[in-house]
Amino acid sequence: MSFKLFSLLVQASVWTIGISVISIALGFLIAIGLSAALLSGKALYRRPAEFFISFFRGVPLLVQLLLIYNLLPFIGLNVPSIVAAIIGMSLCTAAYQAENLRGGFESVPKGLIEAADMAGFSARQVFLRIKVPIALRLTFPALVNEAIMILKSSSLVSVVGIIEITRMAQDLASSTYMPIEIFSSAALIYLVICWAVALAGRYGERSLPGAAK
Amino acid sequence: MIFDPNVILNHLPEIISGTGVTLALWIAGMVLGILIGFVVATLRRYGGRLIDLPLGLAVEVLRGTPFLIQIFLVYYGGPFIGISLDPIPCGLFGLSIYAAAYYSEIFRAGYASVPHGHVEAGECLGLTRFQIIRRILLPEMALIVLPPSVNLAVILLKESAVLSIITVPELTTTVSAIGSQEYAFLEAIFLLAIIYWVIVEAAARLGRLAEARLSTFRFAAS
């Protein structure tokens, strides 16, 4: 396989990485809202959040992407397919991240919160200075895992016609009749990206405050 | 959107058959994945470095690349090395190997969770390695292995939708085809989402039930 073909795949990985990064970031923002709704104790907020999470965790991402891709034009939003893809991926990862964040917030030791109360922290300070840092510390490994899952799942947006690694590989494989070389190269590129994220995650985990040295 | 129930009723046999193919592939892929995964984890534990390294690398590759790419490699690449598989066997092969990689890691963690003293105790009693695995390691790790196994089962069910891309006649393929045939894309995909949702919720509940049963059984036995 020529260098030119390989470099086309590497160029397409910009889309894979871009879609993944944006989806993880957007998903994280949505997940904060969802986890707050889950923990609010009010059924009015909790129930819709539970419904959202159950749906997006219970339906294959491929079906979600097809649904959003078809639904958006139907309700009159003619957005480019890249936007549909990012919306689908963000909503899906938000559901998973929200569950992780909820678990993180619930595992903050009660004693620490009581101690902060005793020390005269306001509710807001307890939240920002105690709960958030500890919950983020606890959920960081899960977030790295989720980022890796999203990187791999982003291969599915090839179905709605976005030329990321997988779609590029498909196009090249059918035009060059070298499917083994091309799909193996694509796999290698995914592998390298996933390893890089895992490595960065481990480094990040160690440098977070409160990490076991 | 006016939901037309006739679209579904007219195609009920196909929808049922698609659901059947999805369920059959899922269960077969899971069973094969558990068997192969268990063998891989056991070989990696007892087979020495020469076996552990290549198997470990294979597991890393399978876990670090998208399922879709793996399926493409088998489906489009297979014929170039003389292995031409129809969509269903190809899908089953891909799903079981993918599952095996993840199950092998679950079993590896399970093996590691059993206190070493228990294995030593078994050795002192003169149990063979096979007996130690069957009588000590497997029962002790069952409770550790079950929750991630249930999670993985649910992931595999959803991952099986990817097989529609190589035209395996499963649920996603069947229902999307009905959607385009009847010009009812949105209805079809909503139906698809609901069917998956119901199966996934049912599978997850069943898994939680099994966990509860197993843990009460363990408490009663100890």
Side-chain angles (χ1 to χ4, degrees), chain A residues 54 57 70 96 152 195, chain B residues 60 63 102 158 189 197:
Chain A
S54 161
R57 301 208 323 165
N70 286 299
Y96 286 91
K152 291 188 289 164
W195 275 343
Chain B
E60 278 296 296
R63 297 195 332 145
Y102 285 88
K158 291 187 286 168
I189 292 164
W197 196 3

Side-chain angles (χ1 to χ4, degrees), chain A residues 1 5 21 27 53 72 135-136 157 159 205:
Chain A
M1 195 178 122
L5 291 179
V21 169
I53 290 171
L72 286 178
L136 283 184
V157 306
V159 174
E205 212 178 308

Side-chain angles (χ1 to χ4, degrees), chain A residues 51 54-55 57-60 62 67 70-71 74 96 152 155-156 159 170 177 179-180 183 187 190-191 194-195, chain B residues 1 60 63-66 68-69 72-73 76-77 80-81 102 158 161-162 164-165 186 189 193 196-197 200-201:
Chain A
F51 181 80
S54 161
F55 181 81
R57 301 208 323 165
V59 175
L62 179 63
L67 189 63
N70 286 299
L71 189 66
F74 189 84
Y96 286 91
K152 291 188 289 164
S155 61
L156 293 180
V159 174
Q170 251 179 301
Y177 293 104
I180 293 184
F183 288 125
Y190 277 110
L191 205 54
C194 289
W195 275 343
Chain B
M1 182 175 73
E60 278 296 296
R63 297 195 332 145
T65 55
L68 182 57
I69 289 280
F72 279 153
L73 196 54
Y76 294 115
F80 281 77
I81 51 167
Y102 285 88
K158 291 187 286 168
V162 169
S164 65
I165 298 174
L186 217 47
I189 292 164
Y196 274 112
W197 196 3
V200 164
E201 280 291 327

Side-chain angles (χ1 to χ4, degrees), chain B:
Chain B
M1 182 175 73
I2 299 151
F3 199 91
D4 182 5
N6 285 326
V7 174
I8 297 168
L9 292 176
N10 291 341
H11 293 278
L12 210 52
E14 292 140 86
I15 296 172
I16 291 171
S17 120
T19 311
V21 172
T22 285
L23 290 176
L25 276 175
W26 172 45
I27 290 168
M30 200 158 57
V31 170
L32 283 172
I34 288 173
L35 291 177
I36 303 169
F38 180 69
V39 170
V40 168
T42 310
L43 282 175
R44 287 188 69 185
R45 186 177 167 92
Y46 294 111
R49 265 184 89 73
L50 226 58
I51 291 180
D52 181 39
L53 275 179
L55 282 181
L57 186 70
V59 168
E60 278 296 296
V61 168
L62 286 166
R63 297 195 332 145
T65 55
F67 181 51
L68 182 57
I69 289 280
Q70 294 167 19
I71 286 293
F72 279 153
L73 196 54
V74 179
Y75 189 63
Y76 294 115
F80 281 77
I81 51 167
I83 307 163
S84 222
L85 288 178
D86 284 334
I88 289 185
C90 174
L92 180 60
F93 175 78
L95 199 62
S96 347
I97 298 297
Y98 179 79
Y102 285 88
Y103 274 118
S104 82
E105 286 293 283
I106 291 175
F107 282 120
R108 209 160 69 102
Y111 272 138
S113 74
V114 178
H116 196 61
H118 297 194
V119 178
E120 278 169 9
E123 280 165 0
C124 286
L125 286 171
L127 297 182
T128 63
R129 179 171 286 173
F130 180 71
Q131 281 173 321
I132 290 175
I133 292 177
R134 197 166 61 94
R135 299 266 174 100
I136 298 173
L137 290 167
L138 272 180
E140 283 204 45
M141 70 195 211
L143 208 59
I144 303 281
V145 164
L146 195 63
S149 296
V150 170
N151 272 344
L152 184 55
V154 168
I155 291 173
L156 287 176
L157 174 60
K158 291 187 286 168
E159 208 70 79
S160 74
V162 169
L163 299 178
S164 65
I165 298 174
I166 57 161
T167 67
V168 175
E170 44 72 84
L171 193 54
T172 307
T173 316
T174 317
V175 178
S176 332
I178 295 169
S180 34
Q181 203 179 316
E182 301 278 350
Y183 284 102
F185 301 99
L186 217 47
E187 284 94 335
I189 292 164
F190 264 115
L191 175 70
L192 195 54
I194 288 165
I195 298 176
Y196 274 112
W197 196 3
V198 168
I199 304 176
V200 164
E201 280 291 327
R205 283 212 181 147
L206 218 62
R208 279 198 292 271
L209 204 69
E211 265 167 57
R213 283 292 287 273
L214 195 60
S215 53
T216 49
F217 169 72
R218 286 259 304 198
F219 276 120
S222 60

Side-chain angles (χ1 to χ4, degrees), chain A residues 19-112:
Chain A
I19 291 170
S20 306
V21 169
I22 296 173
S23 304
I24 281 285
L26 283 178
F28 186 71
L29 294 179
I30 304 169
I32 292 174
L34 283 173
S35 63
L38 285 178
L39 293 167
S40 72
K42 285 185 192 134
L44 179 67
Y45 300 130
R46 205 188 67 232
R47 285 286 149 84
E50 279 173 355
F51 181 80
F52 178 96
I53 290 171
S54 161
F55 181 81
F56 281 97
R57 301 208 323 165
V59 175
L61 180 59
L62 179 63
V63 175
Q64 292 168 23
L65 287 171
L66 292 175
L67 189 63
I68 287 165
Y69 189 63
N70 286 299
L71 189 66
L72 286 178
F74 189 84
I75 57 171
L77 286 171
N78 275 312
V79 292
S81 53
I82 179 82
V83 177
I86 287 174
I87 292 175
M89 303 269 297
S90 308
L91 294 179
C92 180
T93 182
Y96 286 91
Q97 292 188 48
E99 273 295 305
N100 291 337
L101 279 177
R102 183 186 59 85
F105 275 114
E106 279 176 349
S107 341
V108 175
K110 294 276 177 297
L112 288 178

